[in-house]
Amino acid sequence: LTNRFQTHAIQSNVITSSVDHKKMLHLRLRKPRLFHFKPGQYVYLRIPDVNRHWHPFSIASSPDSEHLDFYIKSFGETSWSARLWGLMKERENNLFQKGSITANDDHSFPRVAVEIMGPYGTSLGRIKNYSHGLLVGTGTGVVPLMSLLQRHVDQVLSLHPEIYSENIRKHRITRIELYNSRLNQNGTISSFMKKKFMACIYNSKAE
């Protein structure tokens, strides 16, 4: 399977510190269906509206989330991160000027194409094997820790019977899509597997 994916931004928050005037961007992307990662891993991002270069960033969201979160600090005035910050700031200003929508509205947010390559790196550990943990991080080092903590929260919430059943249903569908993707890449996909996939979706809804 290829490790490159196409997606788009669904939300952004541009932040300027009132103390030292440093700038940071919280960028949220829609997670591609077949993209999987573990806490502590990172990806390369390429945003054609900025330039064609790849830049690595740790993932801050939980692996179980339907989106990907990144926290990007802006450096200098002409750097890639500064240009990205400016781009998203301009998009948000345009939204607010229209009046009735906000920058956090998924459906109204201007489409910003993003390419993802990855994930890379190793997981931070198998935290489910332990009852207690100590996380230490500074600066950008806290980003992968955020992913780890959010994964822990998701696992606690999954103890709820209804949430657990819904997660199982999503996992079943994703496994079949992943299998079909492999068949498609090998050139052996068939209408039979498509029917099996649609039957699985129908059965999961019936459950």
Side-chain angles (χ1 to χ4, degrees):
L1 287 176
T2 178
N3 65 339
R4 292 177 63 171
F5 303 85
Q6 301 284 340
T7 186
H8 63 275
I10 60 175
Q11 180 181 331
S12 73
N13 292 292
V14 290
I15 304 167
T16 301
S17 171
S18 59
V19 178
D20 54 14
H21 304 291
K22 291 183 178 180
K23 300 177 181 179
M24 187 186 72
L25 170 68
H26 170 210
L27 183 64
R28 173 167 291 181
L29 311 179
R30 184 171 300 283
K31 186 171 75 172
R33 169 71 70 174
L34 300 180
F35 180 84
H36 302 280
F37 71 96
K38 297 179 181 179
Q41 291 189 302
Y42 67 95
V43 298
Y44 284 88
L45 300 181
R46 181 163 67 179
I47 302 178
D49 285 346
V50 179
N51 60 32
R52 302 297 297 177
H53 300 296
W54 293 95
H55 295 268
F57 294 99
S58 296
I59 305 172
S61 51
S62 166
D64 301 318
S65 174
E66 295 182 354
H67 54 260
L68 298 172
D69 283 335
F70 300 92
Y71 291 87
I72 303 173
K73 184 177 180 180
S74 174
F75 291 95
E77 297 295 333
T78 59
S79 65
W80 182 89
S81 57
R83 294 175 61 184
L84 175 60
W85 190 95
L87 172 67
M88 305 312 291
K89 179 64 174 179
E90 180 182 358
R91 299 295 175 95
E92 288 191 8
N93 289 340
N94 292 337
L95 283 179
F96 289 126
Q97 290 174 1
K98 293 181 180 179
S100 61
I101 52 181
T102 67
N104 294 334
D105 186 349
D106 184 356
H107 300 289
S108 63
F109 193 84
R111 184 63 63 95
V112 178
V114 180
E115 298 175 51
I116 300 175
M117 182 165 57
Y120 298 103
T122 58
S123 174
L124 289 177
R126 299 179 180 178
I127 60 173
K128 63 181 181 180
N129 295 337
Y130 305 92
S131 59
H132 296 75
L134 175 64
L135 307 179
V136 180
T138 61
T140 57
V142 303
V143 174
L145 301 185
M146 294 170 61
S147 176
L148 189 66
L149 290 174
Q150 293 191 72
R151 157 57 73 87
H152 176 68
V153 172
D154 289 340
Q155 290 179 338
V156 171
L157 290 176
S158 68
L159 296 177
H160 190 287
E162 294 182 1
I163 298 179
Y164 177 78
S165 298
E166 176 65 14
N167 289 339
I168 291 297
R169 183 189 70 83
K170 290 182 179 179
H171 182 64
R172 184 188 301 120
I173 294 176
T174 301
R175 286 180 61 188
I176 292 180
E177 287 185 339
L178 184 61
Y179 180 63
N180 281 347
S181 178
R182 287 173 177 168
L183 290 178
N184 185 45
Q185 185 164 355
N186 293 333
T188 58
I189 190 170
S190 64
S191 59
F192 173 76
M193 288 306 300
K194 291 182 180 179
K195 292 179 180 179
K196 287 290 186 180
F197 171 62
M198 296 306 298
C200 177
I201 296 179
Y202 176 82
N203 291 335
S204 65
K205 290 183 178 179
E207 295 173 359

